[in-house]
Amino acid sequence: AQTVTQSQPEMSVQEAETVTLSCTYDTSESNYYLFWYKQPPSRQMILVIRQEAYKQQNATENRFSVNFQKAAKSFSLKISDSQLGDTAMYFCAFMSRATLLIQGAQKLVFGQGTRLTINP
Amino acid sequence: EAGVAQSPRYKIIEKRQSVAFWCNPISGHATLYWYQQILGQGPKLLIQFQNNGVVDDSQLPKDRFSAERLKGVDSTLKIQPAKLEDSAVYLCASSRQEKAGNTIYFGEGSWLTVV
């Protein structure tokens, strides 16, 4: 079974600074997907960014980018020019591509989360 | 496009009572998930449906939890009898699953407090 580990329970930075959240995972598969989700106090999970393991290029979405190190099984999220609205829980998640063989079997396995606070 | 709808948003019950949560997925999404998120932890998958069939319920405590998706659209998650450790947010999510790595969309969750 796959596992996802986020080793930073909490982080805090000043507005406009850059912050990097860490994530490692364990899998024996070679093809899979990785995601970062944001969860504000409302508790709704919002997709921030996704990475396909067979793509070497790191994904970027505006101020959000990832550093995907496949050999090290590491998937960190960098937030540039942080804003007050970035304050939230951030979850790293893994999705196996092998489950494509079973219709409807794709699922997310989440890490424990990192609480990020952006201070004014 | 309307998002994943869940109700009720908040529920407080005494232990040993029962509770039911309802979820309506995004239109056209064949796969529906129920996740349990205990405070300070990441979400844990309880049950996954493809249309009206169960794909995975390996982590569902079947002695007290049940879920159904009879017509392949909306779903109900029931807890009976509730225990103190069931206090959590219950997140419903849905996905098209037409291709690899389809995005999974989440509702706002149903907060349960068992006292």
Side-chain angles (χ1 to χ4, degrees):
Chain A
Q2 294 87 7
T3 58
V4 179
T5 301
Q6 294 178 249
S7 59
Q8 304 154 310
E10 295 188 28
M11 295 190 72
S12 178
V13 298
Q14 295 298 119
E15 192 176 8
E17 289 184 345
T18 294
V19 60
T20 299
L21 309 183
S22 301
C23 172
T24 59
Y25 57 93
D26 186 28
T27 183
S28 58
E29 300 175 17
S30 58
N31 288 325
Y32 46 86
Y33 303 87
L34 295 164
F35 302 81
W36 279 98
Y37 276 85
K38 170 184 177 181
Q39 188 180 46
S42 68
R43 288 288 185 152
Q44 184 168 21
M45 288 282 192
I46 302 165
L47 178 65
V48 175
I49 199 166
R50 56 178 279 161
Q51 174 80 38
E52 298 174 34
Y54 59 89
K55 290 186 177 180
Q56 293 186 339
Q57 186 173 5
N58 289 324
T60 62
E61 286 289 344
N62 301 314
R63 297 182 295 109
F64 299 87
S65 61
V66 299
N67 183 5
F68 174 47
Q69 301 290 326
K70 191 172 184 179
K73 296 181 182 176
S74 170
F75 182 60
S76 61
L77 174 69
K78 185 173 83 170
I79 306 174
S80 303
D81 185 25
S82 58
Q83 301 174 359
L84 297 179
D86 295 333
T87 293
M89 285 289 291
Y90 285 81
F91 290 94
C92 179
F94 175 99
M95 178 187 287
S96 167
R97 199 168 191 270
T99 51
L100 276 176
L101 298 175
I102 304 171
Q103 183 70 17
Q106 294 181 73
K107 62 175 68 69
L108 289 168
V109 176
F110 287 91
Q112 308 93 313
T114 296
R115 182 177 303 280
L116 176 63
T117 302
I118 308 299
N119 299 307
Chain B
E1 180 180 65
V4 178
Q6 291 189 245
S7 68
R9 289 293 318 278
Y10 306 93
K11 192 76 176 178
I12 301 174
I13 62 172
E14 295 182 349
K15 59 184 179 183
R16 291 186 290 274
Q17 285 187 327
S18 63
V19 63
F21 300 113
W22 173 84
C23 171
N24 191 29
I26 294 172
S27 178
H29 283 195
T31 308
L32 185 148
Y33 310 82
W34 282 103
Y35 280 85
Q36 179 193 56
Q37 186 180 16
I38 294 172
L39 185 65
Q41 299 181 18
K44 181 186 79 172
L45 181 68
L46 290 177
I47 189 166
Q48 179 177 355
F49 293 94
Q50 173 70 4
N51 296 311
N52 61 352
V54 175
V55 175
D56 183 356
D57 64 355
S58 57
Q59 298 196 83
L60 186 74
K62 298 180 183 65
D63 57 335
R64 298 183 300 104
F65 286 66
S66 65
E68 60 183 17
R69 193 185 185 198
L70 294 176
K71 297 183 179 179
V73 180
D74 56 350
S75 174
T76 302
L77 176 70
K78 296 180 181 177
I79 308 173
Q80 181 180 12
K83 292 185 175 181
L84 296 178
E85 58 261 37
D86 298 332
S87 293
V89 177
Y90 291 86
L91 297 167
C92 182
S94 70
S95 171
R96 283 192 182 278
Q97 298 245 344
E98 289 169 345
K99 60 178 182 178
N102 267 128
T103 297
I104 296 177
Y105 297 90
F106 287 80
E108 291 186 304
S110 292
W111 300 56
L112 173 65
T113 301
V114 182
V115 297

